[in-house]
Amino acid sequence: MATVQGGTLYVCATPIGNLGDITLRALEVLKSVDLIAAEDTRHSRKLLDHFGITTPLTSYHEHNEKGKALELIKRLEQGASIALISDAGMPGISDPGQEIIQLCLAKGLSLDVLPGANAGLTALLLSGMPNDHFLFHGFLPSQTSARKKELQNYAQLPFTQIFYEAPHRLLATLGDVLTVFGEREAAVVREITKLHQNVHKGTLSALIEEFQVNAPRGEICLLIAPYIPILPVGGAEEWSQEVEALTEQGLKPKEAMKEIAQKYGVSKREIYQAVLEHKNN
């Protein structure tokens, strides 16, 4: 049985779909604490009712996080024990929680984290993508321009990348990833641990075609395969010709050189030197 101490914040993972994934320890803590701070009290009440938990609830979400964190810290300082939960998964990971966790540590208050279900890691294993090195991003910006700008920072990372995405934005995001990353293997993992759990795997282009026909539904994890540079073939002459072809299609020279540099995994300076040499010859 879990021992609950006063003045402690318990960060509790909750199921991401299947209620059976909650841990015995989490159930004991949720029953024993003085208060549960939940992202959506109506959503969490269903979970608590299912397990017969009657602990009082209070809301803690992205719109009241800063003010509510201070309020909860005062309760902790007075000796209350509080459990923090989000709608699904681990609070503070693409969900509210970081504010109160940092305040708790800064004030020297007791903090405990109860592990449990995580959508990103579950999706990574379901997808079969390389998992020796991976990077979790959470949600990308909802606006196309901001999303593409952020993706530029990730285009040449040599490990699997994990994103969360809403179904109504999936097609737009896949298109932006294809534009910025180029063709790449990817996986869309939907409805993790639920009845209709599904893994869609293929190239970015193939996934776009699939979801244009069958609109995506449910909670989504998007996984992108690691960047593998194409070894330079032929060198200066070929690079220069490809830059020239892109500029004829309307790209500015700098943009064309950047694109060819990304394609072959070399620096823009090398491409620039190749173009100069080709012109001089």
Side-chain angles (χ1 to χ4, degrees), residues 78-184:
Q78 293 167 359
S81 57
I82 299 175
L84 176 67
I85 61 175
S86 61
D87 289 348
M90 182 66 75
I93 305 298
S94 289
D95 278 326
Q98 185 176 21
E99 189 80 21
I100 189 172
I101 289 171
Q102 290 181 340
L103 275 173
C104 192
L105 293 173
K107 290 181 173 289
L109 295 169
S110 178
L111 172 73
D112 200 0
V113 177
L114 281 61
N118 177 273
L121 294 179
T122 306
L124 176 62
L125 295 176
L126 281 170
S127 73
M129 289 284 188
N131 60 25
D132 48 347
H133 296 90
F134 57 89
L135 179 62
F136 172 76
H137 298 282
F139 287 94
L140 286 162
S142 57
Q143 297 297 318
T144 298
S145 57
R147 187 163 55 232
K148 284 184 175 179
K149 185 177 180 180
E150 185 166 327
L151 284 169
Q152 290 286 354
N153 298 322
Y154 311 145
Q156 295 187 24
L157 298 178
F159 34 75
T160 299
Q161 301 184 57
I162 307 170
F163 302 90
Y164 290 159
E165 192 51 278
H168 67 277
R169 286 199 300 265
L170 178 63
L171 271 174
T173 296
L174 286 171
D176 289 342
V177 174
L178 178 60
T179 298
V180 177
F181 283 23
E183 193 64 277
R184 192 88 60 93

Side-chain angles (χ1 to χ4, degrees), residues 40-48 86-88:
D40 184 332
T41 55
R42 293 168 299 178
H43 180 91
S44 295
R45 176 52 64 195
K46 297 175 184 177
L47 171 71
L48 300 180
S86 61
D87 289 348

Side-chain angles (χ1 to χ4, degrees), residues 10-261:
Y10 296 90
V11 180
C12 300
T14 53
I16 55 179
N18 190 318
L19 295 183
D21 291 334
I22 197 162
T23 68
L24 295 175
R25 184 179 173 212
L27 290 175
E28 290 292 344
V29 166
L30 292 173
K31 289 176 183 177
S32 304
V33 291
D34 298 305
L35 181 67
I36 298 173
E39 183 179 5
D40 184 332
T41 55
R42 293 168 299 178
H43 180 91
S44 295
R45 176 52 64 195
K46 297 175 184 177
L47 171 71
L48 300 180
D49 286 347
H50 181 81
F51 290 104
I53 297 171
T54 58
T55 305
L57 277 172
T58 189
S59 64
Y60 181 88
H61 50 73
E62 62 177 333
H63 302 297
N64 75 351
E65 186 170 8
K66 288 188 179 297
K68 199 57 178 279
L70 293 172
E71 179 184 323
L72 294 176
I73 287 294
K74 288 183 181 179
R75 293 286 302 272
L76 290 166
E77 289 175 330
Q78 293 167 359
S81 57
I82 299 175
L84 176 67
I85 61 175
S86 61
D87 289 348
M90 182 66 75
I93 305 298
S94 289
D95 278 326
Q98 185 176 21
E99 189 80 21
I100 189 172
I101 289 171
Q102 290 181 340
L103 275 173
C104 192
L105 293 173
K107 290 181 173 289
L109 295 169
S110 178
L111 172 73
D112 200 0
V113 177
L114 281 61
N118 177 273
L121 294 179
T122 306
L124 176 62
L125 295 176
L126 281 170
S127 73
M129 289 284 188
N131 60 25
D132 48 347
H133 296 90
F134 57 89
L135 179 62
F136 172 76
H137 298 282
F139 287 94
L140 286 162
S142 57
Q143 297 297 318
T144 298
S145 57
R147 187 163 55 232
K148 284 184 175 179
K149 185 177 180 180
E150 185 166 327
L151 284 169
Q152 290 286 354
N153 298 322
Y154 311 145
Q156 295 187 24
L157 298 178
F159 34 75
T160 299
Q161 301 184 57
I162 307 170
F163 302 90
Y164 290 159
E165 192 51 278
H168 67 277
R169 286 199 300 265
L170 178 63
L171 271 174
T173 296
L174 286 171
D176 289 342
V177 174
L178 178 60
T179 298
V180 177
F181 283 23
E183 193 64 277
R184 192 88 60 93
E185 287 292 314
V188 172
V189 185
R190 301 187 302 108
E191 295 288 76
I192 299 171
T193 76
K194 300 178 184 177
L195 179 63
H196 299 293
Q197 174 177 288
N198 211 320
V199 179
H200 307 258
K201 196 170 181 182
T203 64
L204 288 165
S205 296
L207 290 172
I208 289 170
E209 289 181 11
E210 178 179 353
F211 290 114
Q212 283 174 336
V213 176
N214 301 302
R217 296 180 181 180
E219 300 295 324
I220 288 170
C221 282
L222 171 62
L223 299 98
I224 311 297
Y227 170 72
I228 301 175
I230 300 174
L231 293 176
V233 177
E237 185 173 353
E238 282 73 14
W239 297 345
S240 182
Q241 289 174 351
E242 291 193 39
V243 169
E244 186 177 341
L246 289 176
T247 55
E248 288 175 355
Q249 294 172 21
L251 279 186
K252 294 179 180 179
K254 285 186 178 179
E255 294 174 343
M257 285 186 277
K258 181 179 180 180
E259 185 168 322
I260 298 304

